[in-house]
Amino acid sequence: MRRILILWLCTASLSAFGERLSNPRTEERVGRLIRNMTLEEKIGQMTQRSGRGGVKAFREEIRLGRIGSILNEVDADSVNALQRIAVEESPNGIPLLIGRDVIHGFRTIFPIPLGLAATWNPALVEKGARIAAVEAASSGVHWTFAPMMDIARDPRWGRIAEGFGEDPYLAAVMSVAMIRGFQGDDLSGPASLAACAKHFAGYGAAEGGRDYNTVMMSENELRDVYLPPFRASVDAGCATFMAAFNELNGVPASGSSFLFRRILRDEWGFEGFVVSDWASITQMVPHGFAADHKQAAEKAIRAGIDMEMQTDSYVAHIRELLDEGRITMAMIDEAVANILRVKFAMGLFERPYTDASLFPPLLNAEHLESAKQAALQSAVLLKNNGVLPLSGNLKRLAVIGPLADAPHEQLGTWVFDGRAEDAVTPLAALRSRLPNGPHVDYVQTLAYSRDRDTRNFGRAVKAAKKSDAVLLFLGEEAILSGEAHCRADLNLPGAQDALVDAIRKTGRPVVLVILAGRPLTIGHLLDRVDAVLYAFHPGTMAGPALADLLFGTESPSGKLTVTFPKVVGQIPMYYNHKNTGRPPRAESWVHIDAIEVGVWQTSLGNESHYLDAGFLPEFPFGYGLSYTAFDYRNLKLSSGTIRHGDSLTVAADIRNTGSLAADEIVQLYIRDRVGDITRPVKELKGFRRIRLEPGETRTVRFTLKTEDLAFHNRKMEFVTEPGWFHVWIGPNSAEGLRGEFEIVQ
Ligand code: BGC
């Protein structure tokens, strides 16, 4: 047992990873099978049904070969029973593929993906996905609908929680790490899950951050900002793709042959299969892109959507569409081949059943320790006037707020299999950590994050007054982010702002710990508290991780992967924006209150800013403090000039100038000064998480190849143009040591 666990947890070896799904033997088996299949069975392979609400009804359909995949059935015994019908009784014995949203853990819940990204630790993200795969596979799951790699520049969008943030490079690295974790080094391994790159494409750019909404964007922006993680996923061998709900420039993704045939298959050579999103094919009717379900099915098949999730437009209409010559049998065979190829690659024909006894237990100590590490590394320290870490000499600690002891909420969005009873809350962890330490006085005060009832404020204030320090656990419940859970107001909901004020008045040191699924607008609270630790939704092990951070067993080391705006009106706000012809400057910005009455229009700088909110975010991308301090020195470039095809080494010395050992996330940015189309003011091109002892200095080196600097020009060619570049090594996107170099032909 132990041996198996170790084997399954070891990370994928580079050489084995990203192998092609297609090979002559598989294609031969796929072809032979398709020749034997009836049309009904082919349509069956293209059909996925939800097990929610009971799968018993499916037995007969499975027996007839009318269902190829089921989602939302996670009991190994009942999956095996259905699988036995498919394998032993259906006409060609084709095994079912069982899908599930295993997004940030199965039973052991890791931080939400936005929190995972804030670790800037792909190895840890890969390990988390491996653990999720082991746990899910033991329950009969073969396929996860993850990672979600949609770039999100709008924190109103609830699904920002589910992705890696606003940067294409970071999202690509994290997506590949997750895919490697889910799929392991061999897709046919018993603990491997097929991964699913979603949602293709542009879903995160929904207008106004309203889920499912319209997306209009240039092809350059699509290719340079939104597609890189998807491209990297294909190269990493990701087995499946999911179509997005949104329309992109007027065409719903589920009907877009531009996305699925031209880009995914022809340009990128994807060999796996594409699943629609939940009912996204029939939703082409309300989109106004198809007159009825029949036309929707036709458009989806033509676009290259191989499997229909949940709805039955394929079942109902494929035969008719074929008879009418609106689609061809070659299209159907191609879709079925794509699906079967993945089933073969997964070894389902050889090993269709799950033997749960071969797997390590769910929530075992190793899994919990990794979840704790991820929670530790994901929390971002946004302010600290020295109150943190808390001293071991405290006598009384007041723990206040609706999220101090809310096990369900700390798990975050998209948790189907994690359980509140497994979660260790901050309150529980603080109490067990401090049996002989300070007395912990807990007042929940508000029943949940949206609660407006201030009746218990008096008790909270009393506890705060008696304490040496107050820990305020505020933020958002899990349900306030995730699919369709968008918010127009990003302040703390309910009476939480008022609670901060009430506690502040006690004069006690206040540490604000925020648990949330997105960036919140907290700027107005910063001068009312002494420290802010932003924990996102940290998962099962939130409590032990936060207790370690608050008491300084470990220093916070997470950094933001999305820009935090000051106010909602600044959105969209992202670090890799364009410069404009009139970039804002601190010297010429005048606050709205300082403008003289009756002055000339042109006296206000005429630059790209808001009179009231300026032009800077509250916290920039890449930002995060530590209990120690790091000094960046001696930026060195291996050369000031490089030729096409060459590479450049960029290095800097990072020194821990404080008195604690801690991790630092060192970031590499570039700016292409002039382009065939204008280039962003900064672009992340590398990062490294390093650990430095007090006084230790490390030289961190990055290698930049000229192809790393390529972008799509007006002819949609992916090119690196000659010319001047700036390069920075720094602690975040707003600071750093700057150098420059030139690329010559
Ligand atoms: C979501 C997908 C998810 C699917 C299945 C949809 O509503 O958009 O991301 O995988 O449901 O649960």
Side-chain angles (χ1 to χ4, degrees):
M1 169 80 93
R2 183 82 198 136
R3 217 176 98 78
I4 294 169
L5 170 65
I6 290 167
L7 273 177
W8 287 353
L9 282 185
C10 75
T11 50
S13 73
L14 258 177
S15 56
F17 189 74
E19 262 177 26
R20 296 175 69 84
L21 287 166
S22 147
N23 59 55
R25 180 171 140 71
T26 304
E27 293 315 303
E28 205 271 315
R29 293 175 83 184
V30 166
R32 200 165 355 117
L33 202 46
I34 288 181
R35 282 193 292 280
N36 282 335
M37 289 167 77
T38 60
L39 179 59
E40 184 176 40
E41 282 175 273
K42 291 178 185 174
I43 298 170
Q45 287 307 305
M46 296 169 72
T47 301
Q48 184 184 54
R49 293 249 184 265
S50 173
R52 226 183 274 155
V55 287
K56 289 220 174 70
F58 298 156
R59 286 166 190 266
E60 190 51 25
E61 289 192 80
I62 294 171
R63 189 168 288 122
L64 295 170
R66 288 186 184 156
I67 296 178
S69 175
I70 288 178
L71 76 159
N72 297 331
E73 179 58 29
V74 283
D75 174 73
D77 292 339
S78 87
V79 167
N80 282 342
L82 296 175
Q83 192 69 303
R84 204 167 298 283
I85 299 174
V87 171
E88 294 180 7
E89 301 176 35
S90 79
N92 276 291
I94 303 173
L96 296 165
L97 188 62
I98 307 293
R100 181 69 159 173
D101 290 281
V102 182
I103 306 298
H104 51 111
F106 184 72
R107 272 292 290 280
T108 306
I109 301 300
F110 281 69
I112 54 170
L114 190 59
L116 284 175
T119 68
W120 299 64
N121 187 341
L124 191 54
V125 170
E126 178 174 342
K127 192 159 182 209
R130 187 87 290 266
I131 287 168
V134 170
E135 291 194 350
S138 75
S139 308
V141 176
H142 308 133
W143 175 25
T144 173
F145 305 119
M148 186 194 99
M149 53 194 71
D150 296 302
I151 298 299
R153 292 169 161 182
D154 192 330
R156 292 172 296 186
W157 190 48
R159 297 194 87 166
I160 197 169
E162 212 188 315
F164 303 115
E166 73 192 27
D167 184 70
Y169 173 81
L170 184 81
V173 172
M174 291 302 180
S175 300
V176 169
M178 262 202 184
I179 292 165
R180 293 166 67 105
F182 287 136
Q183 297 196 168
D185 57 4
D186 178 3
L187 204 48
S188 70
S192 293
L193 299 186
C196 183
K198 76 185 189 186
H199 304 84
F200 202 57
Y203 186 40
E207 273 179 2
R210 291 185 295 279
D211 209 0
Y212 316 125
N213 225 283
T214 307
V215 177
M216 300 291 285
M217 72 168 69
S218 72
E219 192 173 333
N220 292 87
E221 180 155 322
L222 177 71
R223 288 182 182 270
D224 287 334
V225 178
Y226 289 81
L227 295 193
F230 292 96
R231 174 69 211 250
S233 301
V234 173
D235 294 344
C238 187
T240 74
F241 261 60
M242 186 185 290
F245 282 126
N246 56 284
E247 67 157 77
L248 177 65
N249 300 330
V251 179
S254 295
S256 173
S257 52
F258 167 70
L259 286 176
F260 290 99
R261 294 216 184 264
R262 185 161 134 206
I263 296 182
L264 186 60
R265 299 276 178 198
D266 299 348
E267 293 183 21
W268 298 352
F270 177 61
E271 295 176 336
F273 75 85
V274 175
V275 65
S276 75
D277 203 344
W278 185 281
S280 68
I281 296 179
T282 53
Q283 284 164 15
M284 288 198 280
V285 176
H287 266 297
F289 192 69
D292 50 27
H293 288 187
K294 182 175 163 187
Q295 197 180 35
E298 177 190 343
K299 291 199 170 185
I301 288 165
R302 288 185 163 277
I305 311 298
D306 304 310
M307 184 184 283
E308 178 171 17
M309 183 190 283
Q310 180 55 13
T311 40
D312 64 358
S313 71
Y314 281 9
V315 174
H317 302 293
I318 283 182
R319 193 177 290 276
E320 218 179 325
L321 289 167
L322 281 166
D323 289 347
E324 292 168 11
R326 289 160 74 173
I327 56 171
T328 63
M329 191 58 89
M331 289 175 186
I332 299 301
D333 286 351
E334 189 192 336
V336 175
N338 292 336
I339 294 164
L340 293 178
R341 190 175 300 124
V342 170
K343 290 189 175 182
F344 278 115
M346 294 197 69
L348 283 176
F349 287 83
E350 289 74 27
R351 198 187 35 76
Y353 306 112
T354 303
D355 181 354
S357 73
L358 289 177
F359 288 79
L362 303 171
L363 290 159
N364 64 58
E366 192 174 351
H367 294 188
L368 291 173
E369 178 53 31
S370 291
K372 179 183 168 188
Q373 277 307 317
L376 264 176
Q377 295 189 16
S378 66
V380 184
L381 184 65
L382 294 176
K383 169 178 177 168
N384 186 16
N385 66 7
V387 67
L388 287 179
L390 295 171
S391 137
N393 300 328
L394 294 176
K395 297 244 167 346
R396 283 188 94 93
L397 196 58
V399 174
I400 293 172
L403 297 175
D405 196 29
H408 170 78
E409 310 308 342
Q410 73 187 40
L411 299 182
T413 185
W414 278 112
V415 171
F416 286 165
D417 303 289
R419 298 183 189 165
E421 64 261 32
D422 302 329
V424 188
T425 67
L427 179 68
L430 286 165
R431 281 199 167 132
S432 69
R433 185 193 167 95
L434 306 166
N436 309 312
H439 174 78
V440 175
D441 237 345
Y442 168 57
V443 187
Q444 184 183 5
T445 323
L446 297 164
Y448 54 104
S449 72
R450 290 160 292 153
D451 192 357
R452 297 186 185 281
D453 183 348
T454 58
R455 261 177 301 178
N456 289 319
F457 275 29
R459 278 184 53 224
V461 166
K462 208 161 144 202
K465 276 188 181 150
K466 279 195 284 177
S467 74
D468 301 314
V470 183
L471 300 180
L472 260 181
F473 288 89
L474 306 181
E476 286 182 322
E477 299 145 70
I479 195 69
L480 299 187
S481 58
E483 185 174 348
H485 297 170
C486 306
R487 295 184 60 205
D489 173 358
L490 298 184
N491 287 334
L492 289 171
Q496 295 184 93
D497 269 11
L499 180 57
V500 174
D501 282 341
I503 299 301
R504 185 63 189 159
K505 287 197 191 113
T506 65
R508 294 291 180 269
V510 181
V511 176
L512 175 57
V513 181
I514 294 190
L515 286 84
R518 57 160 66 78
L520 296 173
T521 43
I522 53 166
H524 59 289
L525 299 176
L526 293 176
D527 57 5
R528 303 182 207 169
V529 297
D530 297 279
V532 179
L533 186 61
Y534 212 90
F536 301 97
H537 285 132
T540 306
M541 295 297 277
L546 289 173
D548 275 7
L549 292 173
L550 293 167
F551 279 91
T553 313
E554 191 55 65
S555 170
S557 58
K559 296 208 181 188
L560 302 177
T561 66
V562 277
T563 302
F564 273 42
K566 289 179 196 289
V567 290
V568 166
Q570 287 180 310
I571 298 169
M573 232 197 179
Y574 46 93
Y575 86 95
N576 46 358
H577 58 82
K578 300 294 185 72
N579 202 36
T580 81
R582 292 191 175 207
R585 290 171 309 153
E587 310 85 86
S588 42
W589 176 63
V590 185
H591 189 272
I592 192 163
D593 295 338
I595 300 169
E596 284 171 43
V597 176
V599 288
W600 286 98
Q601 166 74 25
T602 50
S603 62
L604 289 176
N606 283 354
E607 286 161 7
S608 182
H609 55 226
Y610 293 104
L611 295 178
D612 45 3
F615 53 92
L616 294 174
E618 193 63 62
F619 298 109
F621 175 89
Y623 184 79
L625 302 169
S626 166
Y627 292 158
T628 189
F630 299 99
D631 180 44
Y632 284 63
R633 293 246 165 118
N634 301 331
L635 182 80
K636 285 204 188 89
L637 278 62
S638 55
S639 169
T641 309
I642 50 169
R643 295 190 172 282
H644 265 285
D646 285 355
S647 56
L648 175 76
T649 307
V650 190
D653 296 337
I654 324 297
R655 182 175 147 82
N656 180 346
T657 58
S659 54
L660 280 169
D663 285 10
E664 166 69 336
I665 295 157
V666 183
Q667 300 161 37
L668 174 78
Y669 295 90
I670 63 104
R671 176 174 181 183
D672 186 345
R673 301 291 307 283
V674 178
D676 176 60
I677 66 159
T678 59
R679 311 304 309 132
V681 295
K682 272 193 180 174
E683 293 177 82
L684 182 73
K685 292 292 172 186
F687 60 87
R688 194 90 33 87
R689 177 182 266 271
I690 57 168
R691 184 160 192 88
L692 292 179
E693 296 298 319
E696 187 185 348
T697 302
R698 177 103 40 95
T699 304
V700 174
R701 284 190 184 77
F702 296 97
T703 303
L704 264 179
K705 297 196 230 88
T706 52
E707 71 223 46
D708 298 335
L709 306 168
F711 64 95
H712 290 88
N713 66 14
R714 274 176 285 178
K715 291 186 199 146
M716 229 39 76
E717 298 156 335
F718 193 57
V719 289
T720 304
E721 293 180 348
W724 282 97
F725 291 76
H726 283 156
V727 61
W728 294 259
I729 290 183
N732 60 59
S733 65
E735 295 171 82
L737 306 170
R738 195 182 89 177
E740 57 183 14
F741 64 93
E742 187 183 10
I743 296 184
V744 293
Q745 289 287 10

